[in-house]
Amino acid sequence: MAGRPVASRQERARAQELARRIRALREARGWTRERLAKEAGLHTRTLVRLESEGPVQPGFFTVGRLATALEVSLDDLFHGAGRPGGIWSVGYEGRDIDSFVACVREAQIDAVVDVRLTPISRKPGFSKTRLREALHGAGIDYVHLRALGNPKDNRAPFWEGRLEEGRARFRSLLVAEEAEAELTQLAGLVGTSRVAVLCFEQDARRCHRTVVLDEIRRRCAVEVTELA
């Protein structure tokens, strides 16, 4: 008996993006999976599988029922499901948590990658747990890559305008095994998702994330977009 055809990486990526889109629309309505399944006339286990795994070829009628229940067109439901990956740069300086989440959601970001060494902030909502909860509530993934954080003893050059000194020091730290592994992880995300790299400074030139972004630009041959 012939087995199921093996899905390509691109097909899996599109399915995962569709799963995120359905989850985001459901959560925006404040619905549980059970509620959406009932409204769409589907088994809850079907929706669980669709949201968590993203079947490569979901049935047309299944998708149609979900679109009807969520009161969106099929085009809206699939909006973004075939988008290429990419990378954005964002700082939360001068923002509150609500405007920040609205900004990344409007840009259709799939995942926010936090490159702070210690993801703790005096600004309400920007410490790791609260930030992750706020992003998940908007259907956006949160990833913390600690090894791509800037150590405390290399922050003064960025604050004092000695940017090349700070960048050179941080660049030398990226050869460490853990940092290299996390750069590879980030590059993989960029290949299939719309990723925003996050730190505090609004101006990326004053932040070590510029070095991270330059390295990903080199590895993935992608342009970096500043998220206003």
Side-chain angles (χ1 to χ4, degrees), residues 25-217:
L25 288 169
R26 173 178 63 77
E27 291 178 345
R29 285 177 167 263
W31 286 2
T32 62
R33 284 173 171 167
E34 289 77 12
R35 170 71 185 277
L36 176 54
K38 180 179 179 180
E39 295 289 338
L42 301 172
H43 289 294
T44 302
R45 64 176 178 270
T46 299
L47 184 59
V48 169
R49 179 171 177 264
L50 179 58
E51 285 193 1
S52 60
E53 300 177 13
V56 174
Q57 292 182 328
F60 177 80
F61 290 107
T62 296
V63 176
R65 287 179 175 182
L66 288 169
T68 299
L70 292 166
E71 297 183 336
V72 297
S73 67
L74 284 172
D75 183 62
D76 285 338
L77 188 59
F78 280 101
H79 182 63
R83 295 170 298 157
I87 191 163
W88 280 253
S89 171
V90 63
Y92 65 88
E93 182 179 13
R95 303 177 190 263
D96 59 43
I97 187 62
D98 291 337
S99 64
F100 173 78
V101 172
C103 178
V104 294
R105 187 172 185 178
E106 183 177 353
Q108 300 175 28
I109 297 300
D110 298 312
V112 169
V113 173
D114 191 340
V115 293
R116 293 175 293 173
L117 181 68
T118 305
I120 297 174
S121 177
R122 294 178 181 176
K123 290 180 69 69
F126 288 99
S127 291
K128 183 175 182 177
T129 300
R130 295 294 187 187
L131 177 58
R132 180 177 59 231
E133 290 173 350
L135 290 169
H136 282 184
I140 301 166
D141 291 334
Y142 171 86
V143 180
H144 177 221
L145 298 182
R146 186 178 189 279
L148 300 185
N150 192 29
K152 290 182 179 180
D153 62 5
N154 191 44
R155 294 176 188 175
F158 289 94
W159 297 337
E160 297 169 1
R162 295 179 281 121
L163 301 179
E164 287 307 316
E165 176 186 337
R167 290 169 186 165
R169 167 78 196 293
F170 182 71
R171 196 175 292 114
S172 72
L173 301 176
L174 294 182
V175 300
E177 183 177 351
E178 187 177 358
E180 172 60 31
E182 291 192 352
L183 281 171
T184 299
Q185 180 182 349
L186 178 54
L189 286 172
V190 170
T192 59
S193 305
R194 293 167 67 91
V195 176
V197 174
L198 168 74
C199 200
F200 171 71
E201 291 81 2
Q202 183 179 32
D203 184 353
R205 294 171 298 180
R206 298 188 297 108
C207 178
H208 77 287
R209 74 177 182 275
T210 296
V211 179
V212 175
L213 293 165
D214 284 346
E215 180 62 21
I216 296 301
R217 181 191 288 115

